[in-house]
Amino acid sequence: MPTITEILDTMDYGPALESDAIARDWLSRGPFGHFIGGNYTPPGQMFETRDPASDAVLAEVTQGRAQDVDAAVSAARAAFPAWSGLPGHARARHLYAIARQIQKRERLFAVLECLDNGKPIREARDIDVPLAVRHFYHHAGWAELVAEEFAGQRPHGVCGQIIPWNFPLLMLAWKIAPALAAGNTVVLKPAEYTPLTALLFAEICIEAGLPAGVVNIVTGDGTTGAALVAHEGVDKIAFTGSTNVGREIRRATAGTDKALTLELGGKSPFIVFADADLDAAVEGVVDAIWFNQGEVCCAGSRILVAEAAAGQFEAKLRARMDGLRVGAPLDKSTDIGAIVHPRQLARIHDLLAQGQAAGGVLYQGEAPDGCFCAPALMVEVSPANPCVREEIFGPVAVMMTFRTPDEAVDLANNTRYGLAASIWSENLTQAMDIAARVKAGVVWINATNLFDANAPFGGMRESGFGREGARAGMAAYLRPVRTDAKPVAPTPLAPLPQSASIGGLDRTHKLYIGGAQKRADTGQSYSVLAGDTLQGHAPLGSRKDIRNAVEAAHKASAWTAMSGHQRAQILYFLGENLAARADSLCAFAPRSEIDASVARAFYYAAWADKFDGSVHDTQSAHVTLAMKEAFGVMGLVCGEEAPLLGFLSLVLPAIAMGNRVVATPPQSAPLAALELAQVLAVSDIPAGVVNIVSGPVADLAQTLAGHEDVAALWCAQPELAEMVERESAGNLKPVWQVSDPLGQGRAFLNAATQIKTIWVPYGA
């Protein structure tokens, strides 16, 4: 044993092991069945869950089958009427009790999480468990307030929830707490590698007096999750995991009317400017990529450093890497624990080999034998290097340099993901400018990996859609009370000449693309009939016309950069011009509809500069901003209910929030929308902000849904729901099925924006 003098000379840490005795006592209760209807089921076909640090078997857990999922969904369905019918205060008391019970068992949860996942005890004890408790306390508050703050909303019903293995307890809290607060019941499927804290949580539910069937837990592998996703009795799916699985879930739920939120992969940039506090930024890297062994979806794995500071920063970073301790998760001195499973370790090694083969130079320390990976830094990489492109989900960072802020933004956004970003600079103006330009759902300034139950968390692009935490997270577990209005189906296209004739001078309507009237690429038109009367002809748009319209919309980015006040003035002017041209529009829409359209333009002009973001009360010494940002280019598939008002009911809220749109008017009656080309042209709406492509609505909607450069899609044609949701899986764009095509209000504004959460240092 070293002497005190020797310890002071070497500054080596001695072992500081956390006892696992109480966790082992709990594990002796196994083998474990599912938790369904308030009780554990008898164990069935078993699989082992192992300690990744030692490869020792921890417990045997039941492999869920389709009939187990069915039993759990049935139990949740049976419990739903009573649970959702409780006053909010009664649900709040249950959530409060759960939070208290977890606190009373916090060391048991922390140790069990380390054994099952491999993470260091310091992280489980000081981060995971307290944050899980925070979510239940926070959502107890929402349960109290839900009737007041979400009037006209109702819970979905039964929520299927699938969580990953990197933060098993915390992800459980993120999912279950808001679902219960809103009045839903749940069936949770924990990750195959890490089911134990979820099964322990089931005992907490019993101890806290939660009614039977409100929470159900079914363990198993991916087939169990697939059965849950496919189950007809599930009303909402919430998934955290890989982007590829997220795509499959999007396709599987297409057309089922299941609500869906996806929190998927990331390849987050960590941007360091020359004026940054480099020592603080180095510590930030430790938290960004070596926290939780790098098994973090928002890990800052792409380090982008100003060329002027790169050499100094790399030297400091490599020195700091040498001091990180890799080892036993239950040792309080450990910085990096075990990788969750040998399969994941093999994937890390494979990607490192690919990165080196592509020219990357690897700097990596030492790690113990077994399922451990030393912290790694790869330099001299190009943007095409596999270690730059792919989510590694391990303690591996790559480092590149930039010369200008514009180059930093280009490198940061050169990814298909958009989950998080971290920006380091002593110039707050510069940092906020970069935060606005980086495509990420969460941005930390001079910090990283900060989380709170009152801060919205979620991604953009292929990092998924929907938010968890705060008001936005609660909203995801509620839906408007349904109306029974029957949708109007489009009439068939009539491309051949008709026996009827048009009275008066023939009118030639064209597509409206990029601020100009364009002939359809097909060179064809179709007849628009009102009963037996021929109203005119509409161009038969095609895939190429959609492509041209999307390109025009992307060029109109100045519209998104405008202030809300500027957009409001233009929308008021649009309303003025609609009123001035009411007589000419009467040939294609009734006067009442034209008047309602004018009012709608004024309504969204009023909202353009008033649909504000918010400041959330989270951790001390930070201002946490929830900024509402436009998606960019949106596709709008309008309904058949009203030719003019139905079109403008979708277009106006989208552009009021700064989006540019490609809209397909009603197939049966497109002429009113096409007639708007003249109104739009004289209303100061920049070219490309509104693009109108008429034609076969199903074909055009399919093209919009599958288009990689369309960021979001609204569909007011119910019969197209399955197709557009399935096609949207390519770039995982959010799809909003518009239940009231002639409606107006906050629901449209919420669907036209995505939240960017920005953490800014504030105070002492």
Side-chain angles (χ1 to χ4, degrees), residues 556-567 630 632 657-660 689:
S557 58
W559 177 257
T560 304
M562 279 186 183
S563 69
H565 171 69
Q566 289 173 303
R567 291 195 296 270
M657 294 297 99
N659 297 287
R660 297 93 69 193
V689 172

Side-chain angles (χ1 to χ4, degrees), residues 493-501 526-529 531-534 536-537:
L493 286 172
L496 297 178
Q498 303 298 305
S499 57
S501 61
Y526 68 97
S527 301
V528 179
L529 300 168
D532 295 329
T533 303
L534 179 61
H537 300 92

Side-chain angles (χ1 to χ4, degrees), residues 32-35 47 49 61-64 69 72 113 116 160-173 175-176 187-202 215-226 228 238-240:
F32 296 96
H34 308 300
F35 181 70
F47 66 93
T49 179
V61 180
T62 299
Q63 168 62 40
V69 171
E113 196 83 320
D116 206 20
Q161 302 178 322
I162 303 171
I163 59 175
W165 43 257
N166 56 340
F167 293 94
L169 178 65
L170 183 55
M171 292 296 99
L172 175 150
K175 297 282 190 291
I176 288 181
V187 178
L188 179 101
K189 207 286 292 183
E192 177 186 5
Y193 295 161
T194 55
L196 297 180
T197 47
L199 293 169
L200 174 59
F201 176 80
V215 169
N216 305 272
I217 295 170
V218 180
T219 54
D221 58 16
T223 61
T224 311
L228 182 58
F239 172 76
T240 297

Side-chain angles (χ1 to χ4, degrees), residues 5 25 32 45 87 103 179 200 204 232 234 260 266 287 349 470 512 540 549 619 662 713 739 758:
T5 302
D25 287 344
F32 296 96
Q45 179 184 345
Q103 283 185 309
L200 174 59
I204 294 296
E232 293 182 355
V234 173
L260 179 64
D287 288 338
H349 289 160
Y512 187 63
L540 201 64
Q619 299 184 22
V662 178
L713 183 73
S739 59
I758 305 175

Side-chain angles (χ1 to χ4, degrees), residues 386-440:
C387 287
V388 176
R389 296 195 325 269
E390 301 300 326
E391 184 181 34
I392 299 174
F393 230 62
V396 180
V398 298
M399 193 175 100
M400 297 182 286
T401 63
F402 63 87
R403 292 183 178 180
T404 66
D406 287 344
E407 186 182 3
V409 171
D410 288 343
L411 286 170
N413 290 337
N414 185 29
T415 174
R416 64 185 186 273
Y417 298 111
L419 187 54
S422 184
I423 302 166
W424 295 76
S425 173
E426 292 299 287
N427 184 332
L428 184 58
T429 300
Q430 176 172 258
M432 291 296 283
D433 173 61
I434 301 301
R437 296 162 62 192
V438 168
K439 295 176 181 177

Side-chain angles (χ1 to χ4, degrees), residues 2 7 26 39 75 156 320 333 435 461 483 493 544 555 583 648 715 754:
I7 291 172
W26 182 82
N39 295 291
H156 290 283
R320 183 68 177 88
S333 300
R461 302 197 286 183
T483 62
L493 286 172
K544 185 174 180 182
K555 292 176 182 177
D583 289 342
L648 289 174
C715 182
Q754 53 190 340

Side-chain angles (χ1 to χ4, degrees), residues 242-617:
S242 75
T243 295
N244 287 336
V245 175
R247 281 198 186 91
E248 292 305 311
I249 291 174
R250 170 72 284 181
R251 295 186 180 106
T253 59
T256 63
D257 199 36
K258 287 185 174 78
L260 179 64
T261 49
L262 299 173
E263 195 267 280
L264 307 175
K267 195 69 180 174
S268 301
F270 187 101
I271 306 170
V272 183
F273 285 93
D275 67 344
D277 180 336
L278 297 185
D279 291 314
V282 165
E283 290 306 310
V285 171
V286 174
D287 288 338
I289 187 58
W290 297 317
F291 163 64
N292 204 56
Q293 299 78 248
E295 297 168 336
V296 184
C297 54
C298 53
S301 55
R302 290 187 298 137
I303 305 171
L304 310 176
V305 187
E307 192 175 81
Q312 184 182 6
F313 184 82
E314 183 180 343
K316 288 177 177 287
L317 185 58
R318 289 173 58 164
R320 183 68 177 88
M321 285 174 63
D322 291 339
L324 294 173
R325 292 171 60 91
V326 183
L330 288 178
D331 188 334
K332 300 182 186 73
S333 300
T334 292
D335 297 304
I336 298 175
I339 300 300
V340 70
H341 192 275
R343 191 178 305 158
Q344 177 62 20
L345 181 62
R347 182 177 185 276
I348 294 169
H349 289 160
D350 179 59
L351 282 167
L352 285 175
Q354 291 182 43
Q356 289 176 285
V361 175
L362 183 66
Y363 178 80
Q364 189 171 25
E366 299 294 327
D369 293 336
C371 203
F372 294 90
C373 183
L377 176 68
M378 186 173 289
V379 297
E380 297 185 28
V381 292
S382 72
N385 188 293
C387 287
V388 176
R389 296 195 325 269
E390 301 300 326
E391 184 181 34
I392 299 174
F393 230 62
V396 180
V398 298
M399 193 175 100
M400 297 182 286
T401 63
F402 63 87
R403 292 183 178 180
T404 66
D406 287 344
E407 186 182 3
V409 171
D410 288 343
L411 286 170
N413 290 337
N414 185 29
T415 174
R416 64 185 186 273
Y417 298 111
L419 187 54
S422 184
I423 302 166
W424 295 76
S425 173
E426 292 299 287
N427 184 332
L428 184 58
T429 300
Q430 176 172 258
M432 291 296 283
D433 173 61
I434 301 301
R437 296 162 62 192
V438 168
K439 295 176 181 177
V442 182
V443 179
W444 297 287
I445 293 177
N446 292 333
T448 193
N449 277 340
L450 296 176
F451 308 100
D452 189 84
N454 199 29
F457 183 89
M460 300 176 178
R461 302 197 286 183
E462 292 189 27
S463 290
F465 49 80
R467 293 294 181 266
E468 295 183 292
R471 186 185 190 94
M474 268 296 289
Y477 282 94
L478 294 160
R479 70 191 313 163
V481 176
R482 291 183 179 275
T483 62
D484 294 326
K486 187 175 181 180
V488 178
T491 58
L493 286 172
L496 297 178
Q498 303 298 305
S499 57
S501 61
I502 304 173
L505 186 67
D506 181 68
R507 292 286 300 278
T508 301
H509 287 95
K510 298 181 181 179
L511 306 178
Y512 187 63
I513 297 175
Q517 296 185 60
K518 304 280 189 179
R519 294 188 183 277
D521 181 69
T522 61
Q524 296 188 73
S525 296
Y526 68 97
S527 301
V528 179
L529 300 168
D532 295 329
T533 303
L534 179 61
Q535 286 194 317
H537 300 92
L540 201 64
S542 67
R543 173 182 291 271
K544 185 174 180 182
D545 297 309
I546 292 288
R547 184 197 69 184
N548 294 339
V550 171
E551 289 178 356
H554 273 280
K555 292 176 182 177
S557 58
W559 177 257
T560 304
M562 279 186 183
S563 69
H565 171 69
Q566 289 173 303
R567 291 195 296 270
Q569 302 314 298
I570 293 172
L571 291 181
Y572 280 126
F573 191 34
L574 173 62
E576 178 185 334
N577 285 324
L578 276 172
R581 287 163 174 76
D583 289 342
S584 63
L585 287 169
C586 276
F588 308 103
R591 172 70 70 164
S592 60
E593 195 177 320
I594 297 167
D595 291 341
S597 297
V598 173
R600 188 101 351 139
F602 272 64
Y603 177 83
Y604 286 115
W607 269 118
D609 62 350
K610 298 177 186 65
F611 193 61
D612 300 325
S614 55
V615 178
H616 290 282
D617 185 4

